[in-house]
Amino acid sequence: MKRINLLALLAVISVIIVGCINTGNKDKANQMLIDISSVHSITILSDSGESMTLTDSKLIKQFKAIHTAEYDSAKLDIAAPDYEAIVEMKNKENEKFSFWIKGENQGLFTKSGQNGHYKLPETEKAVLLHLFQTNDQQTETDNLKIDEDIKRITIANSLAHGSVNANIKEEYIDHETIEIFVRAIRNAVQIPGILNTATPNYDIVLISDNHKYAFHLWINESSEQGMLMNVNETSTGYSLTKESTAELKKITFMASTFKGLEFNAVRSSNGDLVAKPIGISENNYILNGGAVVELQGITYHTIHFFYGDHNAVNALLAHDPATDEVKVNWSDELNDSNNRWNNAFMNNYNMLIPLDEDHLLFLESDLTKEAGKYHLSSYNVITGTIERLREDFWPLSDDYDYIYKFQWKADEQKLFMQSYLGNVWIFDLKKGKDDVHLLKYRVIPHSTTGAPSLFLSPTFKRFVHDDESGQLTFYDDNGASLRTVPLPQEQYIPSEKIKWNPAGTIAWMDTAEINQNRIHDIDIDYLKIAPQKIIFYNQDGLPISFIKTDSDQEDAAVEVVGWMDANVAVIKSYSVELLYKDTIGLKVKNVSYYLYDVKKKQRGVSYSSIPSSATVTTDQRMDDADNEGNITVSSKEITYKKGK
């Protein structure tokens, strides 16, 4: 159960109630956001509750970075800010700004009392992030003398003199690598005179228990002697020894010697098989696991392998439990984030479906340097051959796209996919009759992932789409509009706005009053509620009945938890209370069950538990691919359980 503070809760809830606003016009702000020369002080409040006040004119001057931002008239839908800046002017008036600039946040900010939002360039985002850090977070860089035990080193591509890029490229924690960096710095020799240098190659931060030491580093693959500078003293340079330069090149450019994805697998002391990539240091890559399927006694699974600056490999791996081998049966690589397939490649490695006893269904990328194609393909586990079932099916667009959700109907060999930009495919791999709807049913733009907008029936013959107009539309599989239903105003509706019975003949919508006591769980694109009312529809969107809680008590709830047949639902009746004050999560109590015939509008027999003959409903929350069980993929290695 996720627990978040009340401030974050209110911010996210406002997004869910109001919905997402379509992107507005983007332009450089044509007005002065603030007159820096008239600023008396700036008070910074962080999301952790820390605060500091800037009065030094040099520090205040750095705040002018906000004037480089690009203006967007759209309303900003996002969680609570990382920082708030209260600017006190010399005339005693105040201006308030909210910033989202930590980690992967995109450098956004808003000005209180003004519509729209602003997006900072990466360089200015880094400047403000450094400025906003409290004193104990600021990096100490007074000299090259390091007498402490360094525990961690980070390296980032440098953006400018005098600041550290917050987007870390690599991190080193092993003693051997740390010693190489520390030795290089200690042995560096000061270069006479005042230097005027180009932008550094890297920012390096050495971190002990009590301090941080930050340096700029000039080094490339052809360097004989690298150069260092203290981040706070960018007119003084220090020359690295040739030996240290060679050692740092070996660490820094290890990824460039990587020739292709292969694995070395060895047995651990407990008998598990542990596989690691060959030819690359652990500090230079990250692994992520995807779907797992077993066919013909062999375990197949997908992985995403990220290394270097922006290099990624998606791969299909195979492991025969009778051997100690892990084979790469298929792979493709992306080397440039500007490739328009970047988002698809980084997200869509986890689809792996057993098509039949001998074939696996997967998304086969076929990338070039700037673009490429995507195919829906099958992998023959007997022959090792790949057949493209739907070649080049995905039109390449100017905007980045990726598969947001997919669903497989095994008995009919039908595959449903929806992309972020609104492409919908229903591929019939048995009969060959496909339904394709390009750029028609977009995911709701929200945060970095989007919010669910399309709700598919189990039969694939109907789906419901939320186009943010305030109503939902029922469609048949040909894309013909059948009926619209209004979304209740000033009511909670879960992120899974429409649910279906197993037969695909009845749909329903849960609603509840807007109250913290109604939220079971919440995330940036997910809301699960304790409903007070359930409205049932036929497959074409016609309302056929509804039920409400048995009592008018604020804590009463009803929920569909199963189906006895196509018409009779199993209803759970219960009451709720908050698990903890000012946090998300409900305690469920006073539980009972009863049957309800939706078409006859009749309440039936009561039960103390769900009848064993019922088909239980499941939460369709879209989590990451299952990475549990016989295979565990960590960031550095893959573990295959003994005997599996």
Coordinates of all heavy atoms in Angstrom, one line a residue, residues 233-284:
E233 N 36.7 26.8 -9.0 CA 37.9 27.6 -9.3 C 38.2 27.3 -10.8 O 39.2 26.6 -11.1 CB 39.1 27.3 -8.4 CG 38.8 27.6 -7.0 CD 40.0 27.1 -6.1 OE1 41.0 26.6 -6.6 OE2 39.9 27.3 -4.9
T234 N 37.4 27.8 -11.7 CA 37.5 27.4 -13.1 C 38.6 28.1 -13.9 O 38.6 28.0 -15.1 CB 36.1 27.5 -13.8 OG1 35.7 28.9 -13.6 CG2 35.1 26.6 -13.2
S235 N 39.4 28.9 -13.2 CA 40.5 29.5 -13.9 C 41.8 28.8 -13.7 O 42.9 29.1 -14.3 CB 40.7 31.0 -13.5 OG 40.9 31.1 -12.1
T236 N 41.8 27.8 -12.8 CA 43.0 27.0 -12.4 C 42.8 25.6 -12.8 O 41.9 24.9 -12.4 CB 43.3 27.1 -10.9 OG1 43.4 28.5 -10.5 CG2 44.6 26.4 -10.5
G237 N 43.8 25.1 -13.6 CA 43.7 23.7 -14.1 C 44.8 22.9 -13.5 O 45.8 23.3 -13.1
Y238 N 44.6 21.5 -13.5 CA 45.5 20.6 -13.0 C 45.7 19.5 -14.0 O 44.7 18.9 -14.5 CB 45.0 20.0 -11.7 CG 44.9 21.0 -10.6 CD1 43.7 21.8 -10.5 CD2 45.9 21.3 -9.6 CE1 43.5 22.8 -9.5 CE2 45.7 22.2 -8.6 CZ 44.5 23.0 -8.6 OH 44.4 23.9 -7.6
S239 N 46.9 19.2 -14.3 CA 47.2 18.1 -15.3 C 47.3 16.8 -14.7 O 48.0 16.6 -13.7 CB 48.5 18.5 -16.0 OG 48.9 17.5 -17.0
L240 N 46.6 15.8 -15.3 CA 46.7 14.4 -14.8 C 48.0 13.8 -15.3 O 48.5 14.1 -16.4 CB 45.5 13.6 -15.3 CG 44.1 14.1 -14.9 CD1 43.1 13.2 -15.5 CD2 44.0 14.0 -13.3
T241 N 48.5 12.8 -14.6 CA 49.7 12.1 -15.1 C 49.2 11.2 -16.2 O 48.0 10.9 -16.4 CB 50.3 11.2 -14.0 OG1 49.3 10.2 -13.6 CG2 50.6 12.0 -12.7
K242 N 50.2 10.8 -17.1 CA 49.8 9.9 -18.2 C 49.2 8.6 -17.7 O 48.3 8.0 -18.3 CB 51.1 9.6 -19.0 CG 51.5 10.8 -19.8 CD 52.7 10.5 -20.7 CE 53.1 11.7 -21.5 NZ 54.3 11.4 -22.4
E243 N 49.8 8.1 -16.5 CA 49.3 6.8 -16.0 C 47.8 7.0 -15.5 O 47.0 6.1 -15.8 CB 50.2 6.4 -14.8 CG 51.6 6.0 -15.2 CD 52.5 7.2 -15.4 OE1 52.1 8.4 -15.1 OE2 53.6 7.0 -15.9
S244 N 47.6 8.1 -14.8 CA 46.2 8.3 -14.4 C 45.2 8.5 -15.5 O 44.1 8.0 -15.5 CB 46.1 9.5 -13.4 OG 46.8 9.2 -12.2
T245 N 45.7 9.2 -16.6 CA 44.8 9.4 -17.7 C 44.5 8.1 -18.4 O 43.3 7.9 -18.8 CB 45.6 10.3 -18.8 OG1 45.9 11.6 -18.1 CG2 44.7 10.6 -20.0
A246 N 45.5 7.2 -18.5 CA 45.2 5.9 -19.1 C 44.2 5.1 -18.3 O 43.3 4.4 -18.8 CB 46.5 5.1 -19.3
E247 N 44.3 5.2 -17.0 CA 43.4 4.4 -16.1 C 42.0 5.0 -16.2 O 41.0 4.2 -16.2 CB 43.9 4.5 -14.6 CG 45.1 3.7 -14.4 CD 45.6 3.8 -12.9 OE1 45.6 4.9 -12.4 OE2 45.9 2.7 -12.4
L248 N 41.9 6.3 -16.2 CA 40.5 6.9 -16.3 C 39.9 6.7 -17.6 O 38.7 6.5 -17.7 CB 40.6 8.4 -16.0 CG 41.0 8.9 -14.6 CD1 40.9 10.4 -14.4 CD2 40.1 8.2 -13.6
K249 N 40.7 6.7 -18.7 CA 40.1 6.4 -20.0 C 39.6 4.9 -20.1 O 38.5 4.7 -20.7 CB 41.2 6.5 -21.1 CG 41.5 8.0 -21.5 CD 42.8 8.1 -22.3 CE 42.7 7.3 -23.6 NZ 44.0 7.5 -24.4
K250 N 40.3 4.0 -19.4 CA 39.8 2.7 -19.4 C 38.5 2.5 -18.7 O 37.6 1.8 -19.2 CB 40.9 1.8 -18.7 CG 40.5 0.3 -18.7 CD 41.6 -0.5 -18.1 CE 41.3 -2.0 -18.1 NZ 42.3 -2.8 -17.4
I251 N 38.3 3.3 -17.7 CA 37.0 3.3 -16.9 C 35.9 4.1 -17.7 O 34.8 3.5 -18.0 CB 37.2 3.9 -15.5 CG1 38.1 3.1 -14.7 CG2 35.8 4.1 -14.9 CD1 38.5 3.8 -13.4
T252 N 36.3 5.3 -18.1 CA 35.3 6.2 -18.7 C 34.8 5.7 -20.1 O 33.6 5.8 -20.4 CB 35.9 7.6 -18.9 OG1 36.4 8.0 -17.6 CG2 34.8 8.6 -19.3
F253 N 35.7 5.1 -20.9 CA 35.3 4.7 -22.2 C 35.2 3.2 -22.4 O 35.3 2.6 -23.5 CB 36.3 5.3 -23.2 CG 36.4 6.7 -23.1 CD1 37.6 7.3 -22.6 CD2 35.4 7.6 -23.5 CE1 37.7 8.7 -22.5 CE2 35.5 8.9 -23.5 CZ 36.6 9.5 -23.0
M254 N 35.0 2.5 -21.3 CA 34.8 1.0 -21.3 C 33.7 0.7 -22.3 O 33.8 -0.3 -23.0 CB 34.5 0.5 -19.9 CG 34.2 -1.0 -19.9 SD 35.7 -2.0 -20.2 CE 36.6 -1.8 -18.7
A255 N 32.6 1.4 -22.3 CA 31.4 1.1 -23.1 C 31.8 1.1 -24.6 O 31.2 0.4 -25.4 CB 30.3 2.1 -22.9
S256 N 32.8 1.9 -25.0 CA 33.1 2.0 -26.4 C 33.7 0.7 -26.9 O 33.8 0.5 -28.1 CB 34.0 3.1 -26.7 OG 35.3 2.9 -26.0
T257 N 34.2 -0.2 -26.0 CA 34.8 -1.4 -26.4 C 33.8 -2.6 -26.5 O 34.1 -3.7 -26.8 CB 36.0 -1.8 -25.5 OG1 35.4 -2.1 -24.2 CG2 37.0 -0.7 -25.4
F258 N 32.6 -2.3 -26.1 CA 31.5 -3.3 -26.0 C 31.1 -3.6 -27.5 O 30.7 -2.7 -28.2 CB 30.3 -2.7 -25.2 CG 29.2 -3.6 -25.2 CD1 29.2 -4.8 -24.5 CD2 28.0 -3.3 -25.8 CE1 28.1 -5.6 -24.4 CE2 26.9 -4.1 -25.8 CZ 27.0 -5.3 -25.0
K259 N 31.2 -4.8 -27.9 CA 31.0 -5.2 -29.2 C 29.6 -5.9 -29.5 O 29.2 -6.0 -30.6 CB 32.1 -6.2 -29.7 CG 33.5 -5.6 -29.6 CD 33.6 -4.3 -30.4 CE 35.0 -3.7 -30.3 NZ 35.2 -2.5 -31.0
G260 N 28.9 -6.3 -28.5 CA 27.6 -7.0 -28.6 C 27.2 -7.7 -27.4 O 28.1 -8.0 -26.5
L261 N 25.9 -7.9 -27.2 CA 25.4 -8.5 -26.0 C 25.6 -10.0 -25.9 O 25.1 -10.7 -26.8 CB 23.9 -8.2 -25.8 CG 23.3 -8.6 -24.5 CD1 24.0 -7.9 -23.3 CD2 21.8 -8.2 -24.5
E262 N 26.5 -10.4 -25.0 CA 26.7 -11.8 -24.7 C 26.7 -12.0 -23.2 O 27.0 -11.0 -22.5 CB 28.0 -12.4 -25.3 CG 28.0 -12.4 -26.8 CD 29.3 -13.0 -27.3 OE1 30.3 -12.2 -27.3 OE2 29.4 -14.2 -27.6
F263 N 26.4 -13.2 -22.7 CA 26.4 -13.4 -21.3 C 27.4 -14.6 -20.9 O 27.5 -15.6 -21.6 CB 25.0 -13.8 -20.8 CG 24.1 -12.6 -20.8 CD1 23.4 -12.2 -21.9 CD2 23.9 -11.8 -19.6 CE1 22.5 -11.2 -21.9 CE2 23.1 -10.7 -19.6 CZ 22.4 -10.4 -20.8
N264 N 28.0 -14.3 -19.7 CA 28.8 -15.4 -19.1 C 28.0 -15.8 -17.8 O 27.6 -15.0 -17.0 CB 30.2 -14.9 -18.6 CG 31.0 -15.9 -17.9 OD1 31.1 -17.0 -18.4 ND2 31.5 -15.6 -16.7
A265 N 27.7 -17.1 -17.7 CA 26.9 -17.6 -16.6 C 27.7 -18.6 -15.8 O 28.4 -19.5 -16.3 CB 25.6 -18.3 -17.2
V266 N 27.6 -18.4 -14.5 CA 28.3 -19.3 -13.5 C 27.3 -19.7 -12.4 O 26.4 -18.9 -12.1 CB 29.5 -18.7 -12.9 CG1 30.6 -18.4 -14.0 CG2 29.2 -17.4 -12.2
R267 N 27.6 -20.8 -11.8 CA 26.7 -21.3 -10.7 C 27.2 -20.6 -9.4 O 28.4 -20.5 -9.1 CB 26.8 -22.8 -10.5 CG 26.2 -23.6 -11.6 CD 24.7 -23.6 -11.5 NE 24.0 -24.2 -12.7 CZ 22.7 -24.2 -12.9 NH1 21.9 -23.6 -12.0 NH2 22.2 -24.8 -14.0
S268 N 26.2 -20.1 -8.6 CA 26.5 -19.6 -7.3 C 26.6 -20.7 -6.3 O 26.4 -21.9 -6.6 CB 25.5 -18.6 -6.9 OG 24.2 -19.2 -6.7
S269 N 27.0 -20.4 -5.1 CA 27.2 -21.4 -4.0 C 25.9 -22.2 -3.7 O 25.9 -23.3 -3.3 CB 27.7 -20.8 -2.7 OG 26.8 -19.7 -2.3
N270 N 24.7 -21.5 -3.9 CA 23.4 -22.2 -3.7 C 22.9 -22.9 -4.9 O 21.8 -23.5 -4.9 CB 22.4 -21.2 -3.1 CG 22.0 -20.2 -4.2 OD1 22.5 -20.2 -5.3 ND2 21.2 -19.2 -3.8
G271 N 23.6 -22.9 -6.0 CA 23.2 -23.7 -7.2 C 22.5 -22.9 -8.2 O 22.2 -23.4 -9.3
D272 N 22.2 -21.6 -7.9 CA 21.5 -20.8 -8.9 C 22.5 -20.4 -10.0 O 23.7 -20.3 -9.7 CB 21.0 -19.5 -8.2 CG 19.8 -19.7 -7.3 OD1 19.2 -20.8 -7.3 OD2 19.5 -18.8 -6.5
L273 N 22.0 -20.2 -11.2 CA 22.8 -19.8 -12.3 C 22.8 -18.2 -12.4 O 21.7 -17.7 -12.6 CB 22.4 -20.4 -13.6 CG 23.3 -20.2 -14.8 CD1 24.6 -20.9 -14.7 CD2 22.6 -20.7 -16.1
V274 N 23.9 -17.6 -12.4 CA 24.0 -16.1 -12.4 C 24.7 -15.7 -13.7 O 25.8 -16.1 -14.0 CB 24.7 -15.6 -11.2 CG1 24.8 -14.0 -11.3 CG2 24.1 -16.0 -9.9
A275 N 24.0 -14.9 -14.5 CA 24.5 -14.5 -15.8 C 24.8 -13.0 -15.8 O 24.0 -12.2 -15.3 CB 23.5 -14.8 -16.9
K276 N 26.0 -12.6 -16.4 CA 26.3 -11.2 -16.5 C 26.8 -10.9 -17.9 O 27.4 -11.8 -18.5 CB 27.4 -10.9 -15.5 CG 27.0 -11.0 -14.0 CD 28.2 -10.6 -13.1 CE 27.8 -10.7 -11.6 NZ 28.9 -10.2 -10.7
P277 N 26.6 -9.7 -18.4 CA 27.1 -9.3 -19.7 C 28.6 -9.4 -19.8 O 29.3 -9.1 -18.8 CB 26.7 -7.9 -19.9 CG 25.5 -7.7 -18.9 CD 25.9 -8.6 -17.8
I278 N 29.1 -9.8 -21.0 CA 30.6 -10.0 -21.2 C 31.1 -8.7 -21.8 O 30.5 -8.1 -22.7 CB 30.9 -11.2 -22.1 CG1 30.4 -12.5 -21.4 CG2 32.3 -11.3 -22.5 CD1 30.5 -13.7 -22.4
G279 N 32.3 -8.3 -21.4 CA 33.0 -7.2 -22.1 C 32.7 -5.8 -21.7 O 33.0 -4.9 -22.4
I280 N 32.0 -5.7 -20.5 CA 31.7 -4.3 -20.1 C 31.6 -4.3 -18.5 O 31.2 -5.3 -17.9 CB 30.3 -3.9 -20.6 CG1 30.0 -2.5 -20.3 CG2 29.2 -4.8 -20.2 CD1 28.8 -1.9 -21.1
S281 N 32.1 -3.2 -17.9 CA 32.2 -3.1 -16.5 C 30.8 -3.0 -15.9 O 29.9 -2.4 -16.5 CB 33.0 -1.9 -16.1 OG 32.8 -1.5 -14.8
E282 N 30.6 -3.5 -14.7 CA 29.3 -3.4 -14.1 C 28.9 -1.9 -13.9 O 27.7 -1.6 -13.8 CB 29.3 -4.1 -12.7 CG 29.3 -5.6 -12.8 CD 29.0 -6.2 -11.4 OE1 28.8 -5.5 -10.5 OE2 29.1 -7.5 -11.3
N283 N 29.8 -1.0 -13.8 CA 29.5 0.4 -13.6 C 28.9 1.0 -14.8 O 28.4 2.2 -14.8 CB 30.8 1.2 -13.2 CG 31.3 0.7 -11.8 OD1 30.5 0.6 -10.9 ND2 32.6 0.5 -11.7
N284 N 29.0 0.4 -16.0 CA 28.6 1.0 -17.2 C 27.3 0.5 -17.8 O 27.1 0.8 -19.0 CB 29.8 0.8 -18.2 CG 31.0 1.7 -17.9 OD1 30.8 2.9 -17.7 ND2 32.1 1.1 -17.8

